[in-house]
Amino acid sequence: MSVREVREMNDQRQVLVRAETRRVTVSGPGGGQETLSYPGVTLTRVCGGLPDGELWLPMGEQPSEADDEALIVALRAAYLWRLGRN
């Protein structure tokens, strides 16, 4: 692959990072419904303007070292994908 071809491919690939809250509705006590909210980070891979994959990582109130490491690994993989290296 030439440098130009790699550059053109990379121009088509984007990684979007956004903080968002996911909500889940479940059956609560007494048969009612309860909505739970989970903050997190969404990584979206976009190729040629179209979504190509998405990963949501939860972020708790007290993030652990494991949470931080999971985010670092996911960001690294996403940016390598952006560069066409995986």
Side-chain angles (χ1 to χ4, degrees):
M1 213 181 242
S2 72
V3 172
R4 181 173 179 232
E5 289 171 322
V6 170
R7 203 173 279 144
E8 286 174 2
M9 179 185 68
N10 290 347
D11 288 343
Q12 294 178 9
R13 291 181 170 204
Q14 297 177 332
V15 176
L16 307 177
V17 180
R18 69 182 179 276
E20 66 179 12
T21 300
R22 297 261 170 122
R23 290 177 176 76
V24 178
T25 302
V26 296
S27 296
Q33 300 232 335
E34 188 173 334
T35 300
L36 306 172
S37 297
Y38 298 94
V41 173
T42 300
L43 304 177
T44 305
R45 295 176 183 193
V46 178
C47 188
L50 300 172
D52 189 53
E54 185 173 277
L55 174 66
W56 182 76
L57 297 160
M59 286 184 358
E61 295 283 327
Q62 300 286 326
S64 67
E65 189 173 324
D67 293 336
D68 293 344
E69 290 298 322
L71 180 57
I72 290 167
V73 168
L75 284 169
R76 183 178 189 282
Y79 286 116
L80 286 174
W81 173 85
R82 160 68 174 87
L83 296 172
R85 294 188 182 166
N86 70 350

